[in-house]
């Protein structure tokens, strides 16, 4: 298939959010991410170049074995389908991964990451990856947060997008109400808080699980209203001259703090 093939043209449109919402599908680029999407049973179609077939024949066989359509495409078509500087030659069309909020936050959840108005897809994907690594039960994207199906977010998640439930909530109140109904304590990350998280002391006086960590916008942090609505506000001490921590770095410190993941 060339870049002018109708199937390739239709798939390329999935770089746009409106097309993803209309079709209920999105693009997954790269061998690792496609492998995880296949394992999750979400892949509908696989585009792969001849050179990539030679390197990843096991991936092609795995896709074919579960009835996934496999299309060989030219290098030029792969460039159109991909977004990276050096396209890997492997792109899949997969069904959207987000689930309803009440399905994502299960009654037995011990650790949940809540992203409020996170705008940078690389940060969102990295936090999803970190939440997965830390053993979180779900990630919730609140308000005008980035689409988790954005290509940069998918790549930054390194396959973790397919490992744990991802849900979206229109507003923080909706998410907070269900978190409390499930018995989770809500911890808002702020510059100044009634609790201070000291990475050298894992417990740092934090509440026992189950907890939900709330992270705010890269530029503005959490609004005063969201911070006030949390059960506790938690600050991370800055001992050097850095103005602040990147939100993804802060999320790693918090999610590995020892608060949460009791099963």
């Amino acid at each position: 298939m060339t870049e002018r093939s109708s199937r390739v043209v239709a798939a390329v449109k999935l770089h746009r959010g409106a097309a993803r919402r209309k079709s209920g599908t999105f693009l997954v680029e790269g061998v690792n991410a496609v492998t995880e999407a296949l394992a999750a049973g979400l892949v509908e179609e696989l585009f792969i170049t001849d050179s990539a077939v030679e390197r990843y024949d096991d991936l092609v066989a795995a896709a074919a074995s579960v009835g996934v359509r496999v299309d060989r495409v030219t290098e030029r078509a792969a460039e159109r389908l991909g977004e990276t500087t050096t396209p890997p030659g492997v792109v899949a069309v997969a069904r959207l991964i987000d689930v309803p909020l009440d399905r994502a936050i299960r009654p037995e959840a011990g650790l949940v990451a809540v992203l409020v108005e996170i705008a940078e897809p690389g940060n969102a994907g990295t936090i999803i990856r970190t939440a997965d690594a830390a053993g979180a039960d779900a990630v919730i994207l609140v308000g005008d947060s980035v689409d988790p199906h954005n290509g940069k977010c998918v790549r930054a998640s390194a396959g973790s997008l397919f490992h744990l439930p991802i849900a979206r909530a229109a507003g923080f109140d909706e998410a907070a109400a269900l978190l409390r109904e499930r018995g989770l304590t809500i911890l808002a990350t702020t510059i100044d808080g009634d609790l201070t998280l000291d990475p050298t002391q894992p417990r740092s006086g934090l509440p026992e699980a189950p907890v939900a960590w709330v992270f705010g916008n890269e530029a503005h942090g959490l609004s005063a209203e969201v911070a006030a609505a949390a059960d506790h506000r938690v600050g991370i001490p800055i001992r050097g001259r850095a103005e602040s921590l990147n939100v993804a770095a802060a999320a790693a410190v918090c999610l590995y703090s020892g608060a949460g993941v009791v099963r």
Side-chain angles (χ1 to χ4, degrees), residues 109-124:
L111 179 62
V112 174
V114 182
L115 283 57
V116 180
E117 310 290 343
I118 296 293
E120 216 291 310
N123 282 333

Side-chain angles (χ1 to χ4, degrees), residues 20 55 98 103 172 207 262:
R20 294 194 293 267
R55 297 192 302 273
D98 47 355
R103 279 181 50 200
F172 181 71
V262 173

